[in-house]
Amino acid sequence: MSNAAFIQIHPDNPQERKVREVADILRNGGVIIYPTDTIYGLGCDIHNARAIERVCQIKGVKPDKVNLSFICSDLTHISDYAKIDTPTYKVMKKALPGPFTFILNATSNTPKYASAKKKTVGIRVPDNNIALQLVKELGNPIISTSIHDDDQVIEYSTDPELIFEKYRNLVDAVVDGGYGNNIASTVVDATNNTFEVLREGAGDIEQYL
């Protein structure tokens, strides 16, 4: 694979032309690395099975073992992919956009390869203009996973130029939205009408309960 595109987008004012360029890469089956409100993510179009396989290969994890989340622009179409009751929806509406991944029961509409035959799905609405505009332009969620691994030098998940050097031969584009954080999202299990924190991260769910 040839070198990835390095596309700089200002988080406070994402240029429509550049957002469209990245969305087109996703639409054509590309894999990208892009900023969120926490760490940089590795993602692709939710409906492209081959691209999802590539994400898993880059991550070095089998599809049935990898934890993939759906990046959404808001909660409007969340019921298409996840079963959600009113109390859970109210909490998510208060907490999002924000640094949380909510684990919910998947609906039958969820692409089987996207959820890797799992019965649950992680939903994220990051508080990051680039990610939100990208999903809106694409027209459907982005499958996403963290590029941070415990054995990596921490700068690789925060400095887009270092990320590009490491992944330029593996992905189709790296979106430079400035330095990222090095703390991941807080993962909250909301499958049983409770809010159990599975991974402590950047968000404090107690503020919204």
Side-chain angles (χ1 to χ4, degrees):
M1 182 183 295
S2 59
N3 284 352
F6 189 67
I7 303 171
Q8 293 177 300
I9 301 179
H10 198 286
D12 294 332
N13 185 26
Q15 292 174 274
E16 189 175 327
R17 175 182 57 82
K18 290 188 175 182
V19 170
R20 192 181 304 120
E21 180 183 353
V22 179
D24 284 343
I25 290 171
L26 290 169
R27 213 171 273 122
N28 292 324
V31 172
I32 67 166
I33 292 174
Y34 66 101
T36 70
D37 53 351
T38 55
I39 58 181
Y40 270 75
L42 174 71
C44 67
D45 189 328
I46 188 178
H47 296 300
N48 194 301
R50 185 166 292 180
I52 293 170
E53 288 174 7
R54 278 183 59 202
V55 167
C56 294
Q57 287 172 353
I58 293 167
K59 184 86 171 177
V61 183
K62 293 180 179 178
D64 61 341
K65 300 292 185 185
V66 72
N67 290 318
L68 300 173
S69 298
F70 291 9
I71 302 291
C72 303
S73 58
D74 54 40
L75 296 179
T76 303
H77 302 292
I78 191 172
S79 60
D80 291 347
Y81 307 103
K83 300 172 186 174
I84 182 169
D85 58 25
T86 301
T88 301
Y89 182 84
K90 286 182 177 178
V91 171
M92 291 178 68
K93 195 165 178 60
K94 286 190 288 185
L96 299 173
F100 298 96
T101 300
F102 286 93
I103 307 299
L104 301 168
N105 292 307
T107 68
S108 58
N109 293 337
T110 303
K112 291 295 178 285
Y113 47 77
S115 58
K117 298 180 180 176
K118 293 182 179 179
K119 295 179 180 178
T120 59
V121 62
I123 299 291
R124 279 218 68 199
V125 183
D127 188 12
N128 178 281
N129 284 333
I130 297 171
L132 297 181
Q133 291 302 318
L134 196 51
V135 173
K136 286 178 183 176
E137 178 66 32
L138 183 62
N140 55 254
I142 297 172
I143 281 283
S144 188
T145 184
S146 155
I147 63 164
H148 171 66
D149 292 312
D150 292 335
D151 61 351
Q152 287 180 3
V153 179
I154 199 70
E155 283 92 350
Y156 281 127
S157 63
T158 61
D159 184 336
E161 292 189 5
L162 291 178
I163 291 169
F164 179 69
E165 286 303 316
K166 178 165 186 179
Y167 290 95
R168 62 193 300 169
N169 294 318
L170 297 173
V171 300
D172 300 287
V174 173
V175 179
D176 175 5
Y179 276 84
N181 295 321
N182 56 19
I183 301 174
S185 64
T186 295
V187 179
V188 181
D189 184 346
T191 57
N192 295 312
N193 301 319
T194 59
F195 297 92
E196 179 188 356
V197 175
L198 302 182
R199 180 183 72 192
E200 292 281 359
D204 179 8
I205 194 63
E206 293 294 330
Q207 295 180 9
Y208 305 100
L209 300 182

